[in-house]
Amino acid sequence: MNTRTQTTEFTPVDQDLYAAAFQFLDPDPTPAPAPPAVLAVPAQVPLTTAAPVHLTGPVEKTLTDALTFLDTHGWTRYSLINTEGARCSIGALRAAAGSRNAAYRDAGNLLLHEARRQYGKKWQAIPAWNDSHSGAQVRSVWAAAIRRAHHMNI
């Protein structure tokens, strides 16, 4: 006898119906523990209503890692790395990127662009801007550059 079906959908089993059928087959059943309550299966949410997933781009990651480095090890002026291990903005970028790759270059360009946007176009390089501002001002530019990279999804 061939009982194959073409459908892949199955109807849920009614546990009470099975229990009643087995009582007729076994006249002296031993009491079995009560079956667990059947949980309702939640309705599936269409994929179109799911929130979009943001993947962190390499520039955003480099900027975020560099700012975390500055927050952890400290920020300094006038040197790449001071005697206590604190770094300037370029030193933090180098530590975060690991090498002078595309993410390092793009993160530096975005950071300098944000510094110029906030403090004027006279800044030609990150070290000069870094050395001329306070730690709070530098951190503010870093945070704005990270937000911008996030928004640009880079």
Side-chain angles (χ1 to χ4, degrees), residues 62-96:
T62 301
L63 289 167
T64 302
D65 290 351
L67 182 58
T68 301
F69 190 92
L70 289 174
D71 288 342
T72 304
H73 299 296
W75 169 80
T76 190
R77 294 181 191 174
Y78 311 117
S79 67
L80 195 63
I81 306 169
N82 72 11
T83 56
E84 290 84 34
R87 294 186 181 226
C88 70
S89 292
I90 288 292
L93 269 177
R94 288 181 184 171

PDB file of all heavy atoms in Angstrom, residues 62-96:
ATOM      1  N   THR A  62      36.285  51.524  12.650  1.00  0.00           N
ATOM      2  CA  THR A  62      37.600  52.101  12.931  1.00  0.00           C
ATOM      3  C   THR A  62      37.472  53.320  13.832  1.00  0.00           C
ATOM      4  O   THR A  62      38.211  53.458  14.815  1.00  0.00           O
ATOM      5  CB  THR A  62      38.317  52.475  11.614  1.00  0.00           C
ATOM      6  OG1 THR A  62      38.464  51.287  10.822  1.00  0.00           O
ATOM      7  CG2 THR A  62      39.674  53.076  11.874  1.00  0.00           C
ATOM      8  N   LEU A  63      36.528  54.204  13.522  1.00  0.00           N
ATOM      9  CA  LEU A  63      36.317  55.396  14.360  1.00  0.00           C
ATOM     10  C   LEU A  63      35.882  55.012  15.773  1.00  0.00           C
ATOM     11  O   LEU A  63      36.376  55.566  16.760  1.00  0.00           O
ATOM     12  CB  LEU A  63      35.284  56.320  13.715  1.00  0.00           C
ATOM     13  CG  LEU A  63      35.728  57.056  12.456  1.00  0.00           C
ATOM     14  CD1 LEU A  63      34.536  57.683  11.752  1.00  0.00           C
ATOM     15  CD2 LEU A  63      36.779  58.104  12.782  1.00  0.00           C
ATOM     16  N   THR A  64      34.962  54.064  15.884  1.00  0.00           N
ATOM     17  CA  THR A  64      34.466  53.632  17.193  1.00  0.00           C
ATOM     18  C   THR A  64      35.584  52.988  18.009  1.00  0.00           C
ATOM     19  O   THR A  64      35.742  53.275  19.202  1.00  0.00           O
ATOM     20  CB  THR A  64      33.292  52.653  17.022  1.00  0.00           C
ATOM     21  OG1 THR A  64      32.265  53.303  16.276  1.00  0.00           O
ATOM     22  CG2 THR A  64      32.742  52.204  18.359  1.00  0.00           C
ATOM     23  N   ASP A  65      36.351  52.117  17.373  1.00  0.00           N
ATOM     24  CA  ASP A  65      37.466  51.462  18.077  1.00  0.00           C
ATOM     25  C   ASP A  65      38.518  52.491  18.515  1.00  0.00           C
ATOM     26  O   ASP A  65      39.079  52.383  19.606  1.00  0.00           O
ATOM     27  CB  ASP A  65      38.113  50.399  17.197  1.00  0.00           C
ATOM     28  CG  ASP A  65      37.220  49.182  16.969  1.00  0.00           C
ATOM     29  OD1 ASP A  65      36.164  49.081  17.639  1.00  0.00           O
ATOM     30  OD2 ASP A  65      37.566  48.347  16.108  1.00  0.00           O
ATOM     31  N   ALA A  66      38.777  53.492  17.669  1.00  0.00           N
ATOM     32  CA  ALA A  66      39.766  54.520  18.014  1.00  0.00           C
ATOM     33  C   ALA A  66      39.279  55.361  19.195  1.00  0.00           C
ATOM     34  O   ALA A  66      40.059  55.668  20.109  1.00  0.00           O
ATOM     35  CB  ALA A  66      40.047  55.404  16.804  1.00  0.00           C
ATOM     36  N   LEU A  67      38.001  55.728  19.186  1.00  0.00           N
ATOM     37  CA  LEU A  67      37.481  56.511  20.314  1.00  0.00           C
ATOM     38  C   LEU A  67      37.477  55.678  21.590  1.00  0.00           C
ATOM     39  O   LEU A  67      37.809  56.191  22.668  1.00  0.00           O
ATOM     40  CB  LEU A  67      36.071  57.030  20.007  1.00  0.00           C
ATOM     41  CG  LEU A  67      35.452  57.904  21.102  1.00  0.00           C
ATOM     42  CD1 LEU A  67      36.330  59.119  21.411  1.00  0.00           C
ATOM     43  CD2 LEU A  67      34.054  58.345  20.697  1.00  0.00           C
ATOM     44  N   THR A  68      37.169  54.409  21.488  1.00  0.00           N
ATOM     45  CA  THR A  68      37.247  53.520  22.653  1.00  0.00           C
ATOM     46  C   THR A  68      38.681  53.456  23.161  1.00  0.00           C
ATOM     47  O   THR A  68      38.927  53.475  24.372  1.00  0.00           O
ATOM     48  CB  THR A  68      36.741  52.110  22.293  1.00  0.00           C
ATOM     49  OG1 THR A  68      35.392  52.211  21.843  1.00  0.00           O
ATOM     50  CG2 THR A  68      36.816  51.165  23.475  1.00  0.00           C
ATOM     51  N   PHE A  69      39.633  53.408  22.246  1.00  0.00           N
ATOM     52  CA  PHE A  69      41.041  53.417  22.634  1.00  0.00           C
ATOM     53  C   PHE A  69      41.386  54.698  23.385  1.00  0.00           C
ATOM     54  O   PHE A  69      42.051  54.653  24.426  1.00  0.00           O
ATOM     55  CB  PHE A  69      41.932  53.262  21.389  1.00  0.00           C
ATOM     56  CG  PHE A  69      43.371  53.029  21.714  1.00  0.00           C
ATOM     57  CD1 PHE A  69      43.860  51.748  21.838  1.00  0.00           C
ATOM     58  CD2 PHE A  69      44.241  54.090  21.921  1.00  0.00           C
ATOM     59  CE1 PHE A  69      45.191  51.522  22.160  1.00  0.00           C
ATOM     60  CE2 PHE A  69      45.566  53.878  22.238  1.00  0.00           C
ATOM     61  CZ  PHE A  69      46.041  52.593  22.362  1.00  0.00           C
ATOM     62  N   LEU A  70      40.927  55.842  22.863  1.00  0.00           N
ATOM     63  CA  LEU A  70      41.189  57.116  23.544  1.00  0.00           C
ATOM     64  C   LEU A  70      40.541  57.140  24.923  1.00  0.00           C
ATOM     65  O   LEU A  70      41.140  57.626  25.887  1.00  0.00           O
ATOM     66  CB  LEU A  70      40.672  58.291  22.705  1.00  0.00           C
ATOM     67  CG  LEU A  70      41.445  58.606  21.432  1.00  0.00           C
ATOM     68  CD1 LEU A  70      40.731  59.702  20.642  1.00  0.00           C
ATOM     69  CD2 LEU A  70      42.862  59.022  21.751  1.00  0.00           C
ATOM     70  N   ASP A  71      39.314  56.631  25.026  1.00  0.00           N
ATOM     71  CA  ASP A  71      38.620  56.601  26.318  1.00  0.00           C
ATOM     72  C   ASP A  71      39.320  55.680  27.310  1.00  0.00           C
ATOM     73  O   ASP A  71      39.351  55.944  28.506  1.00  0.00           O
ATOM     74  CB  ASP A  71      37.163  56.157  26.135  1.00  0.00           C
ATOM     75  CG  ASP A  71      36.302  57.209  25.463  1.00  0.00           C
ATOM     76  OD1 ASP A  71      36.698  58.392  25.430  1.00  0.00           O
ATOM     77  OD2 ASP A  71      35.215  56.839  24.961  1.00  0.00           O
ATOM     78  N   THR A  72      39.897  54.609  26.814  1.00  0.00           N
ATOM     79  CA  THR A  72      40.554  53.625  27.681  1.00  0.00           C
ATOM     80  C   THR A  72      41.972  54.045  28.067  1.00  0.00           C
ATOM     81  O   THR A  72      42.354  53.977  29.237  1.00  0.00           O
ATOM     82  CB  THR A  72      40.606  52.249  26.976  1.00  0.00           C
ATOM     83  OG1 THR A  72      39.287  51.877  26.612  1.00  0.00           O
ATOM     84  CG2 THR A  72      41.205  51.200  27.877  1.00  0.00           C
ATOM     85  N   HIS A  73      42.763  54.478  27.093  1.00  0.00           N
ATOM     86  CA  HIS A  73      44.180  54.758  27.324  1.00  0.00           C
ATOM     87  C   HIS A  73      44.511  56.232  27.502  1.00  0.00           C
ATOM     88  O   HIS A  73      45.618  56.557  27.920  1.00  0.00           O
ATOM     89  CB  HIS A  73      45.014  54.189  26.176  1.00  0.00           C
ATOM     90  CG  HIS A  73      44.880  52.713  26.031  1.00  0.00           C
ATOM     91  ND1 HIS A  73      45.293  51.820  26.984  1.00  0.00           N
ATOM     92  CD2 HIS A  73      44.352  51.961  25.031  1.00  0.00           C
ATOM     93  CE1 HIS A  73      45.036  50.594  26.585  1.00  0.00           C
ATOM     94  NE2 HIS A  73      44.459  50.645  25.409  1.00  0.00           N
ATOM     95  N   GLY A  74      43.582  57.089  27.146  1.00  0.00           N
ATOM     96  CA  GLY A  74      43.806  58.516  27.315  1.00  0.00           C
ATOM     97  C   GLY A  74      44.125  59.216  26.010  1.00  0.00           C
ATOM     98  O   GLY A  74      44.534  58.605  25.030  1.00  0.00           O
ATOM     99  N   TRP A  75      43.935  60.525  26.036  1.00  0.00           N
ATOM    100  CA  TRP A  75      44.181  61.392  24.878  1.00  0.00           C
ATOM    101  C   TRP A  75      45.333  62.326  25.209  1.00  0.00           C
ATOM    102  O   TRP A  75      45.501  62.736  26.363  1.00  0.00           O
ATOM    103  CB  TRP A  75      42.904  62.182  24.575  1.00  0.00           C
ATOM    104  CG  TRP A  75      43.091  63.287  23.594  1.00  0.00           C
ATOM    105  CD1 TRP A  75      43.149  63.169  22.234  1.00  0.00           C
ATOM    106  CD2 TRP A  75      43.243  64.668  23.884  1.00  0.00           C
ATOM    107  NE1 TRP A  75      43.329  64.397  21.669  1.00  0.00           N
ATOM    108  CE2 TRP A  75      43.392  65.350  22.656  1.00  0.00           C
ATOM    109  CE3 TRP A  75      43.281  65.420  25.056  1.00  0.00           C
ATOM    110  CZ2 TRP A  75      43.564  66.724  22.572  1.00  0.00           C
ATOM    111  CZ3 TRP A  75      43.449  66.789  24.973  1.00  0.00           C
ATOM    112  CH2 TRP A  75      43.591  67.433  23.737  1.00  0.00           C
ATOM    113  N   THR A  76      46.120  62.667  24.211  1.00  0.00           N
ATOM    114  CA  THR A  76      47.245  63.572  24.427  1.00  0.00           C
ATOM    115  C   THR A  76      47.388  64.530  23.247  1.00  0.00           C
ATOM    116  O   THR A  76      46.802  64.314  22.195  1.00  0.00           O
ATOM    117  CB  THR A  76      48.568  62.797  24.633  1.00  0.00           C
ATOM    118  OG1 THR A  76      49.568  63.708  25.064  1.00  0.00           O
ATOM    119  CG2 THR A  76      49.002  62.067  23.388  1.00  0.00           C
ATOM    120  N   ARG A  77      48.192  65.558  23.469  1.00  0.00           N
ATOM    121  CA  ARG A  77      48.554  66.515  22.427  1.00  0.00           C
ATOM    122  C   ARG A  77      50.063  66.439  22.188  1.00  0.00           C
ATOM    123  O   ARG A  77      50.805  65.967  23.033  1.00  0.00           O
ATOM    124  CB  ARG A  77      48.279  67.949  22.892  1.00  0.00           C
ATOM    125  CG  ARG A  77      46.862  68.284  23.095  1.00  0.00           C
ATOM    126  CD  ARG A  77      46.804  69.739  23.514  1.00  0.00           C
ATOM    127  NE  ARG A  77      45.464  70.059  23.981  1.00  0.00           N
ATOM    128  CZ  ARG A  77      45.144  71.210  24.514  1.00  0.00           C
ATOM    129  NH1 ARG A  77      46.045  72.148  24.674  1.00  0.00           N
ATOM    130  NH2 ARG A  77      43.913  71.437  24.899  1.00  0.00           N
ATOM    131  N   TYR A  78      50.486  66.943  21.045  1.00  0.00           N
ATOM    132  CA  TYR A  78      51.897  67.173  20.712  1.00  0.00           C
ATOM    133  C   TYR A  78      52.751  65.911  20.566  1.00  0.00           C
ATOM    134  O   TYR A  78      53.959  66.023  20.388  1.00  0.00           O
ATOM    135  CB  TYR A  78      52.557  68.123  21.722  1.00  0.00           C
ATOM    136  CG  TYR A  78      51.746  69.366  21.974  1.00  0.00           C
ATOM    137  CD1 TYR A  78      51.234  69.627  23.250  1.00  0.00           C
ATOM    138  CD2 TYR A  78      51.447  70.251  20.949  1.00  0.00           C
ATOM    139  CE1 TYR A  78      50.473  70.755  23.495  1.00  0.00           C
ATOM    140  CE2 TYR A  78      50.676  71.383  21.193  1.00  0.00           C
ATOM    141  CZ  TYR A  78      50.197  71.626  22.457  1.00  0.00           C
ATOM    142  OH  TYR A  78      49.435  72.734  22.691  1.00  0.00           O
ATOM    143  N   SER A  79      52.167  64.738  20.667  1.00  0.00           N
ATOM    144  CA  SER A  79      52.933  63.506  20.430  1.00  0.00           C
ATOM    145  C   SER A  79      51.971  62.395  20.022  1.00  0.00           C
ATOM    146  O   SER A  79      50.793  62.404  20.389  1.00  0.00           O
ATOM    147  CB  SER A  79      53.721  63.081  21.671  1.00  0.00           C
ATOM    148  OG  SER A  79      52.858  62.694  22.709  1.00  0.00           O
ATOM    149  N   LEU A  80      52.502  61.462  19.270  1.00  0.00           N
ATOM    150  CA  LEU A  80      51.693  60.329  18.831  1.00  0.00           C
ATOM    151  C   LEU A  80      51.271  59.487  20.030  1.00  0.00           C
ATOM    152  O   LEU A  80      50.106  59.120  20.169  1.00  0.00           O
ATOM    153  CB  LEU A  80      52.500  59.488  17.834  1.00  0.00           C
ATOM    154  CG  LEU A  80      51.744  58.479  17.000  1.00  0.00           C
ATOM    155  CD1 LEU A  80      50.731  59.163  16.102  1.00  0.00           C
ATOM    156  CD2 LEU A  80      52.730  57.667  16.166  1.00  0.00           C
ATOM    157  N   ILE A  81      52.245  59.198  20.902  1.00  0.00           N
ATOM    158  CA  ILE A  81      52.005  58.426  22.124  1.00  0.00           C
ATOM    159  C   ILE A  81      52.829  59.076  23.228  1.00  0.00           C
ATOM    160  O   ILE A  81      54.029  59.295  23.060  1.00  0.00           O
ATOM    161  CB  ILE A  81      52.456  56.957  21.986  1.00  0.00           C
ATOM    162  CG1 ILE A  81      51.814  56.298  20.765  1.00  0.00           C
ATOM    163  CG2 ILE A  81      52.138  56.166  23.246  1.00  0.00           C
ATOM    164  CD1 ILE A  81      52.408  54.946  20.416  1.00  0.00           C
ATOM    165  N   ASN A  82      52.182  59.365  24.363  1.00  0.00           N
ATOM    166  CA  ASN A  82      52.972  59.945  25.462  1.00  0.00           C
ATOM    167  C   ASN A  82      53.520  58.835  26.359  1.00  0.00           C
ATOM    168  O   ASN A  82      53.285  57.645  26.117  1.00  0.00           O
ATOM    169  CB  ASN A  82      52.172  60.997  26.235  1.00  0.00           C
ATOM    170  CG  ASN A  82      51.076  60.416  27.100  1.00  0.00           C
ATOM    171  OD1 ASN A  82      50.980  59.209  27.312  1.00  0.00           O
ATOM    172  ND2 ASN A  82      50.220  61.275  27.616  1.00  0.00           N
ATOM    173  N   THR A  83      54.253  59.202  27.396  1.00  0.00           N
ATOM    174  CA  THR A  83      54.912  58.211  28.258  1.00  0.00           C
ATOM    175  C   THR A  83      53.942  57.329  29.024  1.00  0.00           C
ATOM    176  O   THR A  83      54.286  56.225  29.416  1.00  0.00           O
ATOM    177  CB  THR A  83      55.857  58.913  29.255  1.00  0.00           C
ATOM    178  OG1 THR A  83      55.103  59.873  30.003  1.00  0.00           O
ATOM    179  CG2 THR A  83      56.993  59.599  28.529  1.00  0.00           C
ATOM    180  N   GLU A  84      52.709  57.809  29.234  1.00  0.00           N
ATOM    181  CA  GLU A  84      51.711  57.004  29.938  1.00  0.00           C
ATOM    182  C   GLU A  84      50.898  56.111  28.995  1.00  0.00           C
ATOM    183  O   GLU A  84      50.037  55.352  29.432  1.00  0.00           O
ATOM    184  CB  GLU A  84      50.737  57.899  30.721  1.00  0.00           C
ATOM    185  CG  GLU A  84      51.350  58.585  31.934  1.00  0.00           C
ATOM    186  CD  GLU A  84      52.061  59.873  31.538  1.00  0.00           C
ATOM    187  OE1 GLU A  84      51.605  60.568  30.607  1.00  0.00           O
ATOM    188  OE2 GLU A  84      53.096  60.178  32.152  1.00  0.00           O
ATOM    189  N   GLY A  85      51.134  56.225  27.693  1.00  0.00           N
ATOM    190  CA  GLY A  85      50.413  55.392  26.721  1.00  0.00           C
ATOM    191  C   GLY A  85      49.214  56.074  26.086  1.00  0.00           C
ATOM    192  O   GLY A  85      48.537  55.471  25.253  1.00  0.00           O
ATOM    193  N   ALA A  86      48.935  57.308  26.468  1.00  0.00           N
ATOM    194  CA  ALA A  86      47.846  58.052  25.836  1.00  0.00           C
ATOM    195  C   ALA A  86      48.260  58.408  24.417  1.00  0.00           C
ATOM    196  O   ALA A  86      49.450  58.549  24.123  1.00  0.00           O
ATOM    197  CB  ALA A  86      47.526  59.310  26.637  1.00  0.00           C
ATOM    198  N   ARG A  87      47.290  58.546  23.523  1.00  0.00           N
ATOM    199  CA  ARG A  87      47.588  58.836  22.125  1.00  0.00           C
ATOM    200  C   ARG A  87      46.843  60.066  21.643  1.00  0.00           C
ATOM    201  O   ARG A  87      45.814  60.429  22.187  1.00  0.00           O
ATOM    202  CB  ARG A  87      47.191  57.653  21.239  1.00  0.00           C
ATOM    203  CG  ARG A  87      48.035  56.431  21.512  1.00  0.00           C
ATOM    204  CD  ARG A  87      47.723  55.335  20.537  1.00  0.00           C
ATOM    205  NE  ARG A  87      48.531  54.173  20.832  1.00  0.00           N
ATOM    206  CZ  ARG A  87      49.185  53.484  19.918  1.00  0.00           C
ATOM    207  NH1 ARG A  87      49.105  53.828  18.654  1.00  0.00           N
ATOM    208  NH2 ARG A  87      49.900  52.436  20.255  1.00  0.00           N
ATOM    209  N   CYS A  88      47.366  60.635  20.587  1.00  0.00           N
ATOM    210  CA  CYS A  88      46.646  61.709  19.911  1.00  0.00           C
ATOM    211  C   CYS A  88      45.638  61.048  18.960  1.00  0.00           C
ATOM    212  O   CYS A  88      45.561  59.820  18.871  1.00  0.00           O
ATOM    213  CB  CYS A  88      47.621  62.596  19.137  1.00  0.00           C
ATOM    214  SG  CYS A  88      48.344  61.803  17.690  1.00  0.00           S
ATOM    215  N   SER A  89      44.898  61.850  18.239  1.00  0.00           N
ATOM    216  CA  SER A  89      43.863  61.308  17.348  1.00  0.00           C
ATOM    217  C   SER A  89      44.444  60.404  16.266  1.00  0.00           C
ATOM    218  O   SER A  89      43.896  59.335  15.981  1.00  0.00           O
ATOM    219  CB  SER A  89      43.071  62.449  16.718  1.00  0.00           C
ATOM    220  OG  SER A  89      42.311  63.113  17.703  1.00  0.00           O
ATOM    221  N   ILE A  90      45.560  60.792  15.669  1.00  0.00           N
ATOM    222  CA  ILE A  90      46.189  59.960  14.634  1.00  0.00           C
ATOM    223  C   ILE A  90      46.693  58.654  15.246  1.00  0.00           C
ATOM    224  O   ILE A  90      46.543  57.584  14.668  1.00  0.00           O
ATOM    225  CB  ILE A  90      47.341  60.715  13.939  1.00  0.00           C
ATOM    226  CG1 ILE A  90      46.772  61.797  13.040  1.00  0.00           C
ATOM    227  CG2 ILE A  90      48.229  59.775  13.126  1.00  0.00           C
ATOM    228  CD1 ILE A  90      46.015  61.292  11.836  1.00  0.00           C
ATOM    229  N   GLY A  91      47.283  58.734  16.424  1.00  0.00           N
ATOM    230  CA  GLY A  91      47.762  57.521  17.098  1.00  0.00           C
ATOM    231  C   GLY A  91      46.628  56.559  17.401  1.00  0.00           C
ATOM    232  O   GLY A  91      46.774  55.344  17.263  1.00  0.00           O
ATOM    233  N   ALA A  92      45.479  57.093  17.805  1.00  0.00           N
ATOM    234  CA  ALA A  92      44.319  56.233  18.079  1.00  0.00           C
ATOM    235  C   ALA A  92      43.797  55.609  16.791  1.00  0.00           C
ATOM    236  O   ALA A  92      43.427  54.428  16.774  1.00  0.00           O
ATOM    237  CB  ALA A  92      43.220  57.047  18.765  1.00  0.00           C
ATOM    238  N   LEU A  93      43.770  56.388  15.709  1.00  0.00           N
ATOM    239  CA  LEU A  93      43.345  55.834  14.413  1.00  0.00           C
ATOM    240  C   LEU A  93      44.264  54.699  13.983  1.00  0.00           C
ATOM    241  O   LEU A  93      43.804  53.659  13.524  1.00  0.00           O
ATOM    242  CB  LEU A  93      43.351  56.921  13.340  1.00  0.00           C
ATOM    243  CG  LEU A  93      42.067  57.689  13.120  1.00  0.00           C
ATOM    244  CD1 LEU A  93      42.271  58.774  12.074  1.00  0.00           C
ATOM    245  CD2 LEU A  93      40.931  56.787  12.736  1.00  0.00           C
ATOM    246  N   ARG A  94      45.551  54.895  14.133  1.00  0.00           N
ATOM    247  CA  ARG A  94      46.508  53.852  13.747  1.00  0.00           C
ATOM    248  C   ARG A  94      46.339  52.599  14.593  1.00  0.00           C
ATOM    249  O   ARG A  94      46.415  51.475  14.092  1.00  0.00           O
ATOM    250  CB  ARG A  94      47.941  54.374  13.853  1.00  0.00           C
ATOM    251  CG  ARG A  94      48.274  55.368  12.776  1.00  0.00           C
ATOM    252  CD  ARG A  94      49.690  55.855  12.877  1.00  0.00           C
ATOM    253  NE  ARG A  94      49.952  56.884  11.875  1.00  0.00           N
ATOM    254  CZ  ARG A  94      51.045  57.605  11.832  1.00  0.00           C
ATOM    255  NH1 ARG A  94      52.006  57.431  12.719  1.00  0.00           N
ATOM    256  NH2 ARG A  94      51.188  58.517  10.891  1.00  0.00           N
ATOM    257  N   ALA A  95      46.119  52.787  15.880  1.00  0.00           N
ATOM    258  CA  ALA A  95      45.924  51.628  16.765  1.00  0.00           C
ATOM    259  C   ALA A  95      44.643  50.877  16.393  1.00  0.00           C
ATOM    260  O   ALA A  95      44.621  49.652  16.409  1.00  0.00           O
ATOM    261  CB  ALA A  95      45.865  52.084  18.217  1.00  0.00           C
ATOM    262  N   ALA A  96      43.597  51.609  16.055  1.00  0.00           N
ATOM    263  CA  ALA A  96      42.316  50.971  15.745  1.00  0.00           C
ATOM    264  C   ALA A  96      42.336  50.270  14.393  1.00  0.00           C
ATOM    265  O   ALA A  96      41.788  49.173  14.241  1.00  0.00           O
ATOM    266  CB  ALA A  96      41.193  52.004  15.775  1.00  0.00           C
TER     267      ALA A  96
END
